[in-house]
Amino acid sequence: MWDLALKNIMRNRTRTILTTLGILIGIGAIVALGSIAEGLDAAIQSGLELTAGKITVMDAESSLFGMGGELTLEDVALIEGLSGVKEVVPMNWHAENIQMFQGPEWVAVGVPPDKVEYLIGENTQFEEGRIFEEGETEVAIIGKAISERYNAHVGDTWEIKGKFFEIVGVTEETGISDIDSSIAVPFDDMQDILDSEEFQMMYVIPDNVKDTEKVANEIEEASDKFNALTSQELARQASQIVDQIRIFTFGIGAIAAFVGGLGVMNTMIMSVMERRKEIGVMKAIGATNRMVLQQIITESALISLIGGLGGILLGILGSVLLSNVIGGGQITATVTPQLALTGLSFALFLGIIGGLYPARKASQLDPVEALRYE
Amino acid sequence: MNKKAAKAEKKGKECVIQTKGVMKCYGEEDKCVTTVLQDVDICIEKGNFVSIMGPSGSGKTTLLDIIGCLLKPTQGDVFIDGVRTAELSDDELALIRREKIGFVFQQYNLIQSATALENVSIAMRIAGKSSWEARDKAKRLLEMVGLKDRLNNRPSELSGGEQQRVAIARSLANDPKIILGDEPTGNLDTKTGQVVLNILKKLNEEEGYTIVVVTHDSRIAQYTDKIINLLDGRVSREDHPNNHNHVKGLKSTKKKGGD
């Protein structure tokens, strides 16, 4: 019946195309917006690789992304005194030129020079130059993505709020955006720039990776001020947030798609009315109510499926555009197969729901009445 | 009960269509407001060409709809090829229409957006035949009614007579036993009407189809084996015209292959 359905929906091309567009735009919105959530998820997942085996300590009052917070060097000393703690790495940062939707142009993170490997990754190799030496000041290590974007290399100078840093190293490309897009500078220099003794976050490295959970508990017990998160805990929290974003973006797109679904319903009602007589003939020559029902639903599902497929293409296009706009290229909005399937399923769902009422009406047409209808 | 129907029954003749005490009325719920048919007992024998005549409002179209399983009688029984249809569901009736009955309407009732070939194929698609099988047979049927060169024309590109011939081809699609015509020549001029009538007559005489037509044209009725006259919803008379042997121009059209 699919061939007949295709024939039927192509009778009024303009109407079918316009109806399809309604679904196409809705599903496009679901896929494009959803791709941001997927991109964010991927970015967070890759960022979490960096924190594997580390405990992230933040001020209990601050949010997951380390906004706010008032940690001090005394807190560092307190945690260093706990058993099972190998290293405590305080971090402070400056985000340059934050813009709505785009995020910051770049982020410079201050870290004690002798502990910089915990920021850039213990196993990361250098493409150019070297790692910090202990006690060094006014030096910077930049990630590969930063180096490429700003054409900055070893020997060049990087300016952060009027303070100049000599680039001494460029790290290799790791695929982890937190490393590739980072600028590491000495902690003390960043304190000067920020004009603040306080900072927002620290990494705690346990002596033994197996004790991560235990050490995290100890830290939280040491002071109410601390919120110690293991990478598993971070992953859990992050995925909760990503799920919320997923639901939110789907919700926005779904509204648009739902309007498209009403369009499908409207088109099918019109189509059934126009074809009253024809449906009567079909029934007279032996089509059962069920066959008529299936025929109309197939037609409306077909319109929606075409719209859904177009919507996925539109969504992919949209995700490419959004990648360039949102997060300054740090988040790659991605259309995952799962997201595409969600879009297509939703289109099909709308098609079937939208077709149900007109199909029911059509199937219940009295052939005698329909045949004599002029 | 009508005398002739009773007589036919006594003789043990095979009624491919039989009605017993059929009454049809329209109204709300149990209240009968307008009675369209009353006490209709007819027997149409296998292989007969029968016409139903009567003035407007005599109930002839309603009777045809009931025979055609498009409409259920309010009271009485209808047997189509031995099957009692009164208690069948909508879907079961659809199955009877599909398998045992072919319809030809005054308004042709072709699907305007479909070609002649598609109009005939669709009946077979409904019966579950494959698209290729349906096309193949539709082609043969259209050739049989003389539309070999019009397979891919839409109804709007065909004359009335041609459209009605497409409708006849469609009615034959699922090898029915019975062909029902509702004023099949009513929209055609005399000459074209004659062509259509010849085809029906040929189907009756050479292929053994039982054919029932509703008409108000007594000249057409004269070609049939039996005329059932309706008046005010009752069978008023049954006639047997004597000249049912010859229809002009029919002798030359011999059956060629086909089904």
Side-chain angles (χ1 to χ4, degrees), chain B residues 14-79:
Chain B
E14 196 188 341
C15 301
V16 71
I17 298 165
Q18 187 169 29
T19 68
K20 286 181 178 173
V22 162
M23 192 267 269
K24 178 73 189 175
C25 70
Y26 292 99
E28 300 146 22
E29 298 291 314
D30 298 334
K31 263 193 183 166
C32 194
V33 178
T34 337
T35 306
V36 190
L37 291 174
Q38 216 163 356
D39 298 328
V40 177
D41 300 319
I42 58 168
C43 166
I44 293 168
E45 289 165 35
K46 199 172 175 193
N48 265 14
F49 193 161
V50 174
S51 52
I52 301 174
M53 286 195 76
S56 304
S58 60
K60 51 189 192 301
T61 297
T62 305
L63 180 58
L64 195 78
D65 286 344
I66 288 174
I67 292 171
C69 297
L70 286 168
L71 210 57
K72 286 182 181 177
T74 312
Q75 270 175 30
D77 262 333
V78 179
F79 297 89

Side-chain angles (χ1 to χ4, degrees), chain B residues 180-196:
Chain B
L180 301 181
D182 184 7
E183 304 263 13
T185 58
N187 268 21
L188 305 173
D189 60 58
T190 322
K191 204 178 146 200
T192 327
Q194 188 67 54
V195 172
V196 167

Side-chain angles (χ1 to χ4, degrees), chain B residues 210-255:
Chain B
T210 306
I211 300 180
V212 181
V213 293
V214 160
T215 182
H216 56 258
D217 187 342
S218 55
R219 283 172 307 169
I220 289 167
Q222 290 307 311
Y223 287 122
T224 61
D225 302 319
K226 177 156 90 172
I227 304 170
I228 297 170
N229 290 285
L230 287 182
L231 193 65
D232 297 332
R234 293 170 188 268
V235 178
S236 62
R237 203 174 74 237
E238 288 191 5
D239 297 327
H240 293 265
N242 38 19
N243 65 329
H244 56 270
N245 294 324
H246 300 291
V247 173
K248 232 194 314 186
L250 193 75
K251 281 175 190 163
S252 57
T253 54
K254 270 272 168 197
K255 181 190 169 193

Side-chain angles (χ1 to χ4, degrees), chain A residues 1-4 7-8 11 277-278 280-291 366-368 371-372 374, chain B residues 61 65 70-71 90-91 94-95 97-98 103 105 107 109 111-113 118 122-123 125-127 131 170 174 182:
Chain A
M1 286 280 151
W2 288 94
D3 55 333
L4 290 178
K7 228 180 170 104
N8 282 336
R11 277 193 218 173
K277 197 164 182 169
E278 180 186 319
V281 174
M282 300 274 278
K283 293 186 83 169
I285 63 177
T288 58
N289 293 357
R290 195 190 168 82
M291 287 168 88
D366 177 1
V368 173
L371 281 170
R372 315 279 192 262
E374 293 303 321
Chain B
T61 297
D65 286 344
L70 286 168
L71 210 57
D90 281 359
D91 283 358
L95 212 67
R97 293 198 293 270
R98 190 193 301 170
F103 286 96
F105 303 96
Q107 308 291 339
N109 282 339
I111 295 169
Q112 292 302 313
S113 61
E118 289 163 344
I122 202 155
R125 294 298 304 280
I126 286 171
S131 153
R170 180 178 67 188
N174 293 320
D182 184 7

